Amino acid sequence: MSVNISEKKGPVVQAKGIHKIFGNMNHVLRGLDLDVGKGETVVILGASGSGKSTLLRCINFLEAPTAGSIEVDGTLIRADAPANEREAKALEIRRKTGMCFQSFNLFPHMTVLENIIEGPRTVLKQNRKEAEEYADELLDWVGLTDKRGEYPSCLSGGQQQRVAIARSLAMKPKVMLFDEPTSALDPELVGEVVEVMERLAADGMTIIAVTHELHFARDVADRVMIMDGGNWVEEGTPEKIFNNPEQERTKRFLAHIL
Amino acid sequence: MGIEVDGAPEQGIPEEADRVLRQIEGRRKKYRRNLLISFAVLITLLVTAMIVLKLDFSFMMKWLPFILAGSGYTFLVSVLAITLACILAVVGALGRMSSNPVFNAVATSYVSLIRGTPLLVQVYMWYLALPQIGKALEELGLHGVQAWLTLPAVPAGILALGVCYGAYMTETVRAGIQSIKIGQTEAAMALGMTRGQTMKRVIFPQALRVIIPPVSNEFIAMIKDSSLVSLMGVWELSYRAVKIGRRHFQSLEMLIMVALIYWLMCILLQFVQERIETHMARGDRRV
Ligand SMILES: Nc1ncnc2c1ncn2[C@@H]1O[C@H](COP(=O)(O)OP(=O)(O)OP(=O)(O)O)[C@@H](O)[C@H]1O
Ligand SMILES: [Mg+2]
């Protein structure tokens, strides 16, 4: 099954000059650019508090950037656009963007199947049959067909995260954002989630992932980007970043996590 | 899970575990038995007390239909008032959390004013003071307003109770909504849901679970507060009991009877609440 249906050429995500300043003049992102091409897998690495989550959340406007512009699959939002226009465009962008959270955030009052069809039914107004058919395909794809009618509380963390991925994919997104999808998991459950992410990448999905799974960064990513203090420090192929980093800060960071 | 306590132990379960499981089951049975005995003793004591006090049961039975007829008012007033209160509470809670300054200020003042004044005063306000406001407005040239604002006792009572309980429940609903983790909102928004869809599909159904027990509490309190409409001369449950009791100098019988009727109504309500809660708990981990 192929989950990526984007037909456009060129970058799927284009962020320009992103600044984010939180309430008390906490300048977290300091003018970041990010271009991600169709089918590309980008892994963002960086110390805790460097702003990785904030950047991901700016891309789908869960957090409104203070300055700069975001374009996802042809929908462009500028930070200084009028509020109502920004809100409408943000909805559009979120519909083209899937996001997986560290803590899964499945809807606990819905079964696995209901979680997956919720977006298509409520947002895309699909009929139940159509939504369920695709949900069943996705469940099969993440290997959880037998959990179809269970509630999330009966699932292991790894299973929950795989359902969360399926829930995002049900919206047929053009890009998937992952914010440390495995860091809340017991070590033995990490593999099953990473494996799903690998297959997603292999199927041609555009992926931006913040993850400390170095194996994923090394073997799956097309590009690794290092962030520090809200700035890019260095970027390149995994080979270059892990074997021949140029920047002193990259070396220090890698020494810390390797 | 699949252990049969009463049958033969399943394969692979050590004898010791089997013994422990039997003990646990035994304790549970004993607890249930003792609970039943305790209730039975309490009820016996209650009935004995009634007999010792030489209650006039035939007198009670004679007036029962008349008193019960008053419970119609109690029921009508309570149900309509709680409906109104629920609507006001949801709107109020959304207002209290709203980023619209006008909506927010109105909701905040509503809660503050109503919670800060006695229900008794509010009841009289709706019944006695509102017509006066109508009169003043009429004199300012608004024709027909006075008639509109002069409310019969029952509607005035429903409005008074509904508006009052709506204010208290606003805070309950708000607390319920705010108890849902921000991650739920974010997950819904990330799917592209609007704020309204997020509230309706994700937040509210979960908040409801938290809200149901305190709202049932409010409902139970309201059933009893509905006796305040008797202040406006409505012949509801407690009013009838007091009247008849005084007239025949048998207040004790009448009051016990009316108390039991209220109690029964509340037990019924509690039963409904438990059913709803069980239904709501369907996403919980089954042990
Ligand atoms: N909603 C918020 N309000 C105020 N400050 C925030 C908010 N969210 C994040 N920050 C601040 O932004 C900074 C960067 O946070 P962010 O979560 O993006 O870091 P991160 O790189 O994802 O770190 P981690 O590896 O720990 O997840 C932190 O100093 C944090 O205090
Ligand atoms: Mg983070």
Side-chain angles (χ1 to χ4, degrees), chain A residues 170-223:
Chain A
M171 296 293 290
K172 304 205 165 120
K174 308 287 197 239
V175 53
M176 283 289 293
L177 310 175
F178 288 93
D179 191 0
E180 306 200 24
T182 56
S183 48
L185 297 175
D186 289 340
E188 74 268 25
L189 300 177
V190 169
E192 62 190 62
V193 172
V194 173
E195 186 263 338
V196 167
M197 292 169 66
E198 280 172 14
R199 273 195 287 138
L200 202 53
D203 266 4
M205 175 59 80
T206 308
I207 295 175
I208 306 175
V210 173
T211 177
H212 293 306
E213 272 322 295
L214 291 182
H215 143 72
F216 184 82
R218 236 192 252 277
D219 301 342
V220 184
D222 299 304
R223 184 152 49 115

Side-chain angles (χ1 to χ4, degrees), chain B residues 99-145:
Chain B
S99 51
N100 178 326
V102 179
F103 192 17
N104 195 314
V106 170
T108 306
S109 317
Y110 162 59
V111 171
S112 171
L113 174 70
I114 299 293
R115 290 206 304 181
T117 50
L119 177 55
L120 186 62
V121 173
Q122 291 172 30
V123 168
Y124 282 133
M125 274 282 178
W126 286 101
Y127 190 52
L128 300 177
L130 207 56
Q132 195 180 336
I133 294 175
K135 185 159 171 272
L137 289 176
E138 187 97 24
E139 279 160 11
L140 283 173
L142 291 165
H143 292 292
V145 177

Side-chain angles (χ1 to χ4, degrees), chain A residues 106-109, chain B residues 97 173-186 198-199 202-211:
Chain A
L106 290 179
F107 306 133
H109 59 303
Chain B
M97 297 181 299
V173 172
R174 183 175 65 95
I177 288 174
Q178 288 178 338
S179 74
I180 306 304
K181 290 207 189 71
I182 186 76
Q184 291 290 310
T185 306
E186 291 183 343
T198 301
M199 188 54 80
V202 175
I203 306 304
F204 205 69
Q206 293 184 62
L208 212 52
R209 269 206 66 188
V210 188
I211 295 170

